[in-house]
Amino acid sequence: YSASVEGYFVVNGEQIPLAKTNGRTFVFAKPCELAPGTAGELLVIVDGERDSRRVVLPHGAAAGQINIPFVVEAPF
């Protein structure tokens, strides 16, 4: 079992904390607004091991939106 798990959507150098992700959508830990087509890095850190992939938010994100769909642009 993992001792520590962190997730972030990294865009323009800013790490936006995630509450959760399931590989198709994620939930921001705090409200956030992003334009449709925003690209960034989905960064997951499990017990200090970093894994990231380039993703795009086809519909963007609106404040208060629960599940934000993303599409993997580059798997590594």
Side-chain angles (χ1 to χ4, degrees):
Y1 296 95
S2 296
S4 173
V5 178
E6 300 172 66
Y8 302 95
F9 182 59
V10 183
V11 61
N12 298 326
E14 179 184 1
Q15 286 188 347
I16 303 168
L18 302 179
K20 64 181 177 176
T21 183
N22 64 11
R24 292 175 291 140
T25 65
F26 51 66
V27 176
F28 290 122
K30 58 183 179 181
C32 184
E33 291 188 25
L34 297 167
T38 298
E41 177 185 8
L42 174 58
L43 173 62
V44 178
I45 307 168
V46 179
D47 294 337
E49 296 290 323
R50 299 167 67 94
D51 182 38
S52 67
R53 58 206 62 207
R54 185 94 172 140
V55 300
V56 176
L57 309 183
H59 309 292
Q65 183 178 358
I66 301 297
N67 291 307
I68 292 89
F70 64 86
V71 176
V72 175
E73 187 175 69
F76 49 87

